[in-house]
Amino acid sequence: AQSVTQLDSQVPVFEEAPVELRCNYSSSVSVYLFWYVQYPNQGLQLLLKYLSGSTLVKGINGFEAEFNKSQTSFHLRKPSVHISDTAEYFCAVDMNTGFQKLVFGTGTRLLVSP
Amino acid sequence: SAVISQKPSRDICQRGTSLTIQCQVDSQVTMMFWYRQQPGQSLTLIATANQGSEATYESGFVIDKFPISRPNLTFSTLTVSNMSPEDSSIYLCSLATSVGSDTQYFGPGTRLTVL
């Protein structure tokens, strides 16, 4: 079965520091990859997505992610975080079967402190 | 992207009762989905709801427990039947604007607590 692994359940970081949230997936077929953010008491918002082409994807709020096929990873990065980036971040995979079934990771809580 | 609303935003229900959650979209969309997010966990797909056909349920979810309606291209409902405390979760609807669309957009969610 396909799976998505987010190894870090929580990542504490100081404001203006860089951050990387890790995501690995298991699949032998081509995939679509997504990062969603969930702010407290809100729904999910799409941060960025990888479908094909350039492996470095830029999203909203200064986030970017790099698709690494050999390592089956799609890590999310931001060079300088803000307090407002405190949220839950979910990595998700669509196995590109045409059925649009998203498989989500368990999420990483980013805690930004002053 | 489409604007998605859900009603109610939250509810507290008694064991054994049922709750119907509504998902409204401000434009016509082909595919809608229902997810469950249990406390402290990730999202799990319950079913896919396409207008004009029966909902397709994922493993572990059944129509008797989670009946879904999709009467038109802008609206869907999910009912959580005969609730137990284990059903306490956030329920989210999402949509894809067309078959083969690469991105899903999510509603704000309904936070359900079952006592």
Side-chain angles (χ1 to χ4, degrees):
Chain A
Q2 301 87 1
S3 67
V4 179
T5 302
Q6 292 181 248
L7 287 173
D8 305 306
S9 60
Q10 187 166 294
V11 173
V13 64
F14 289 109
E15 192 174 21
E16 297 183 6
V19 71
E20 177 180 84
L21 306 183
R22 296 180 292 170
C23 173
N24 288 87
Y25 65 93
S26 65
S27 175
S28 59
V29 300
S30 63
V31 298
Y32 295 157
L33 296 156
F34 304 84
W35 275 99
Y36 285 88
V37 59
Q38 186 176 36
Y39 297 104
N41 300 312
Q42 296 186 31
L44 273 72
Q45 180 180 358
L46 180 67
L47 266 181
L48 49 79
K49 61 185 178 183
Y50 171 80
L51 307 178
S52 64
S54 173
T55 57
L56 183 62
V57 179
K58 295 188 182 298
I60 62 172
N61 301 340
F63 284 93
E64 63 181 31
E66 186 158 17
F67 169 58
N68 187 318
K69 186 175 182 179
S70 62
Q71 297 186 4
T72 59
S73 67
F74 191 55
H75 300 332
L76 181 71
R77 302 187 185 100
K78 186 170 183 177
S80 176
V81 296
H82 302 289
I83 297 286
S84 59
D85 292 323
T86 295
E88 189 88 19
Y89 291 80
F90 292 97
C91 181
V93 173
D94 177 348
M95 296 299 169
N96 196 14
T97 60
F99 296 106
Q100 295 163 297
K101 294 185 179 181
L102 287 178
V103 176
F104 282 84
T106 51
T108 297
R109 182 171 297 277
L110 177 63
L111 296 171
V112 183
S113 54
Chain B
S1 60
V3 176
I4 310 166
S5 60
Q6 286 186 233
K7 289 183 181 179
S9 59
R10 58 179 63 225
D11 207 342
I12 300 174
C13 301
Q14 295 296 321
R15 181 195 301 261
T17 62
S18 298
L19 176 72
T20 295
I21 302 168
Q22 300 178 5
C23 180
Q24 180 76 53
V25 188
D26 69 344
S27 59
Q28 294 184 343
V29 297
T30 304
M31 303 185 72
M32 295 181 76
F33 308 84
W34 286 97
Y35 288 83
R36 179 176 72 181
Q37 185 179 18
Q38 294 178 297
Q41 298 188 31
S42 188
L43 284 79
T44 303
L45 179 63
I46 298 171
T48 302
N50 294 334
Q51 195 268 336
S53 62
E54 296 290 326
T56 303
Y57 289 82
E58 296 301 304
S59 176
F61 298 97
V62 295
I63 188 171
D64 290 345
K65 176 66 175 177
F66 298 101
I68 288 171
S69 77
R70 182 80 199 274
N72 56 54
L73 292 174
T74 64
F75 187 76
S76 179
T77 67
L78 169 76
T79 299
V80 186
S81 303
N82 188 24
M83 289 184 285
S84 66
E86 291 71 34
D87 294 319
S88 297
S89 297
I90 299 174
Y91 292 87
L92 300 101
C93 68
S94 73
L95 63 89
T97 53
S98 62
V99 175
S101 172
D102 53 64
T103 303
Q104 290 183 29
Y105 299 93
F106 285 80
T110 295
R111 185 179 294 272
L112 170 63
T113 301
V114 184
L115 302 177

